């Protein structure tokens, strides 16, 4: 079964580190955007010549609203988009429907509305439980609002709540970070995503860091942040299942796991990517361009490309190694007809000797230490 991804590109303010496909909220553009999304979903499923319909199964089991800030959409708009998905595809009854939300943009009523609309998983962009760090990131919420939003989500009936945290923030020491990790664990979310801040060359944060003389901690501290957080979360009952993700048993993100297990998904909205039947494409990125094309009946897909068997294999290995379970080499051989160890073993041996990588047939997986250096290992496959 495939996943459905809906991109919502609107934000109340643009954070100083953000590199996502997003723009400032505009009520009129948002109204046209929701209409366009619904039209794209409907047209995609109806187009019998499309790659989407080349397989007999039209069954999906996850819907994911990502952004941007999807919680800037009204509950009725979310409900309308979910209805469009249901009408266009065969979406399983036990679906996972995730909405990314910012703490400052939700209220009791709004959360109850999302729940009634069919959303059953919330992912809050908390980033930190320290107000000084949140201000440095130009986030609009404080730690108290994050805690309140979490409590409101539980009160609204959400049984599956995830929190995003970011480490290696400017001026952040290892203990500052661990204070946020402990604060998050104390709330008891079902899932946590822990990301390392990447300061892009053209991010306003880079200039602010230079002006204020904020720096990121040394690499060894960044490694300590990651490793200690994972240990603490494990002690608190979470299971690491991916480089950046931990979950309580049974609470892994079903949608995101498709990206790491050679799965298929259809993306709708500006900049959304799709992978289906060995073909990959991406929608135009700019919100206005996307809406104008949909309104004019012009295709939005760009970069449509049939992947070669080697590219598919490389992607399956590259993404599969992100999982703590790693890659099942027998399954890869059955799917791609390739003995991975025979082909890549000579290049991977040194990582095995360094104990970054373990080869325990049929599994190939990264150790936690290896996860810190995953890109070096994964570079072998691409
Ligand atoms: S809320 Fe998220 S998507 Fe929007 S600007 Fe901030 S980091 Fe970027």
């Amino acid at each position: 079964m495939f996943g459905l991804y809906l991109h919502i590109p609107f934000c109340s303010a643009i954070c100083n580190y953000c590199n996502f496909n997003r723009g400032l909220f505009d009520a009129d553009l948002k109204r046209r955007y929701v209409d366009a999304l619904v039209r794209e979903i409907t047209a995609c499923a109806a187009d019998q010549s499309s790659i989407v319909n080349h397989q007999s199964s039209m069954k999906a089991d996850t819907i994911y609203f990502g952004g941007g800030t999807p919680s800037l959409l009204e509950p009725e708009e979310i409900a309308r988009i979910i209805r469009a998905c249901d009408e266009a595809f065969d979406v399983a009854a036990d679906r996972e429907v995730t909405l990314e939300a910012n703490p400052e943009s939700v209220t009791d009523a709004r959360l109850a509305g999302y729940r009634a609309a069919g959303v059953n998983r919330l992912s809050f962009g908390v980033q930190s439980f320290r107000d000084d760090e949140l201000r440095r990131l130009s986030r609009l919420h404080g730690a108290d609002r994050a805690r309140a939003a979490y409590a409101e989500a539980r009160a609204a009936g959400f049984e599956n709540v995830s929190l995003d945290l970011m480490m290696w923030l400017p001026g952040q020491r290892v203990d500052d970070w661990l204070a946020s990790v402990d604060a998050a664990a104390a709330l008891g979310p079902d899932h946590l995503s822990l990301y390392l801040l990447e300061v892009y060359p053209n991010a306003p944060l880079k200039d602010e860091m230079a002006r204020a003389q904020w720096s990121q901690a040394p690499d060894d501290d960044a490694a300590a942040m990651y490793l200690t957080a994972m240990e603490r979360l494990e002690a608190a009952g979470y299971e690491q299942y991916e480089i950046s993700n931990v979950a309580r048993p049974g609470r892994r993100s079903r949608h995101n796991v498709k990206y790491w297990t050679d799965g298929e998904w259809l993306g709708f909205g500006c900049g959304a990517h799709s992978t289906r039947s060995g073909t990959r494409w991406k929608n135009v990125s700019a919100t206005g361009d996307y809406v104008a094309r949909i309104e004019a009946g012009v295709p939005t897909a760009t970069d449509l490309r049939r992947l070669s068997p080697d590219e598919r294999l490389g992607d399956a290995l590259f993404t599969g190694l992100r999982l703590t379970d790693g890659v099942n080499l027998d399954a890869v051989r059955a799917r791609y007809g390739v003995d991975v160890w025979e082909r890549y073993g000579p290049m991977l041996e040194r990582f095995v000797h360094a104990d970054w990588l373990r080869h325990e047939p049929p599994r190939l997986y990264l150790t936690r230490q290896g996860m810190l250096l995953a890109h070096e290992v994964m570079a072998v496959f691409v």
Side-chain angles (χ1 to χ4, degrees):
M1 286 192 271
F2 57 88
L4 299 168
Y5 174 83
L6 297 313
H7 190 71
I8 310 298
F10 304 106
C11 291
S12 302
I14 304 302
C15 302
N16 59 12
Y17 60 92
C18 180
N19 193 34
F20 296 126
N21 188 27
R22 75 313 179 243
L24 277 177
F25 181 82
D26 170 323
D28 182 52
L29 185 58
K30 182 204 61 167
R31 188 184 46 71
R32 288 170 58 207
Y33 187 82
V34 172
D35 287 347
L37 256 186
V38 168
R39 274 179 71 176
E40 189 195 3
I41 294 164
T42 308
C44 166
D47 181 1
Q48 291 303 316
S49 65
S50 130
I51 187 75
V52 173
N53 290 308
H54 282 186
Q55 286 186 339
S56 52
S57 166
M58 292 294 279
K59 219 167 165 50
D61 66 343
T62 62
I63 299 177
Y64 192 103
F65 289 90
T69 309
S71 53
L72 289 179
L73 258 55
E74 299 300 323
E76 308 81 67
E77 293 170 320
I78 295 292
R80 190 175 157 219
I81 297 167
I82 294 175
R83 256 195 325 273
C85 291
D86 268 322
E87 283 162 15
F89 304 103
D90 181 5
V91 189
D94 75 335
R95 66 194 59 187
E96 174 191 88
V97 185
T98 304
L99 182 99
E100 290 182 354
N102 279 354
E104 77 282 354
S105 67
V106 296
T107 59
D108 289 325
R110 217 172 172 80
L111 288 164
Y114 293 141
R115 189 74 197 89
V119 177
N120 55 23
R121 182 173 184 270
L122 282 178
S123 176
F124 278 118
V126 173
Q127 317 313 355
S128 167
F129 280 95
R130 289 179 58 106
D131 287 341
D132 57 341
E133 291 175 354
L134 289 166
R135 274 194 298 272
R136 274 179 205 178
L137 295 175
S138 67
R139 298 291 306 205
L140 297 177
H141 67 276
D144 286 348
R145 175 86 282 269
R147 287 193 180 88
Y150 179 85
E152 289 161 7
R154 292 301 196 193
F158 283 97
E159 292 176 358
N160 196 352
V161 180
S162 178
L163 306 181
D164 281 4
L165 292 180
M166 281 199 320
M167 69 188 105
W168 212 25
L169 304 180
Q172 188 182 52
R173 294 160 305 175
V174 177
D175 284 349
D176 300 332
W177 157 247
L178 293 175
S180 278
V181 172
D182 290 345
L187 289 177
D190 302 272
H191 184 282
L192 281 153
S193 299
L194 315 178
Y195 299 110
L196 250 95
L197 172 71
E198 204 172 324
V199 185
Y200 294 96
N202 58 354
L205 177 60
K206 198 172 175 69
D207 294 338
E208 288 167 35
M209 285 172 68
R211 267 201 307 277
Q213 298 196 311
W214 298 327
S215 57
Q216 285 175 292
D219 287 1
D220 283 354
D221 284 3
M225 286 179 187
Y226 178 77
L227 297 171
T228 314
M230 288 302 177
E231 281 161 18
R232 286 202 186 181
L233 291 170
E234 256 168 20
Y238 294 91
E239 176 189 46
Q240 185 187 6
Y241 69 100
E242 194 264 352
I243 288 182
S244 306
N245 288 283
V246 304
R248 293 200 182 281
R251 291 300 200 197
R252 296 180 180 197
S253 162
R254 284 164 56 195
H255 183 83
N256 288 340
V257 162
K258 292 182 195 298
Y259 299 140
W260 305 312
T261 52
D262 209 7
E264 298 198 326
W265 58 92
L266 296 176
F268 299 96
C270 58
H273 292 252
S274 302
T275 296
R276 175 89 159 147
S277 308
T279 303
R280 185 164 294 169
W281 65 96
K282 176 183 180 280
N283 274 349
V284 290
S285 300
T287 309
D289 187 14
Y290 167 80
V291 170
R293 284 185 188 223
I294 295 274
E295 288 174 347
V298 174
T300 53
T302 58
D303 304 334
L304 189 129
R305 212 159 63 82
R306 183 135 193 96
L307 301 177
S308 71
D310 269 4
E311 281 175 309
R312 292 181 70 177
L313 170 68
D315 280 2
L317 297 170
F318 183 91
T319 53
L321 272 189
R322 295 189 60 91
L323 293 167
T324 51
D325 289 344
V327 180
N328 183 317
L329 300 184
D330 286 350
V332 171
R333 191 209 304 257
R335 188 161 194 180
Y336 295 101
V338 171
D339 183 324
V340 170
W341 195 252
E342 201 176 285
R343 182 185 287 191
Y344 296 104
M347 288 177 278
L348 294 173
E349 284 286 5
R350 66 190 177 99
F351 300 124
V352 173
H353 286 135
D355 199 31
W356 294 2
L357 185 69
R358 298 225 173 109
H359 179 216
E360 292 168 4
R363 279 177 72 204
L364 183 69
Y365 65 96
L366 289 169
T367 61
R368 190 165 284 160
Q369 193 69 32
M371 286 186 169
L372 282 167
L373 303 146
H375 281 98
E376 283 190 48
V377 182
M378 290 166 173
V380 166
F381 303 122
V382 289

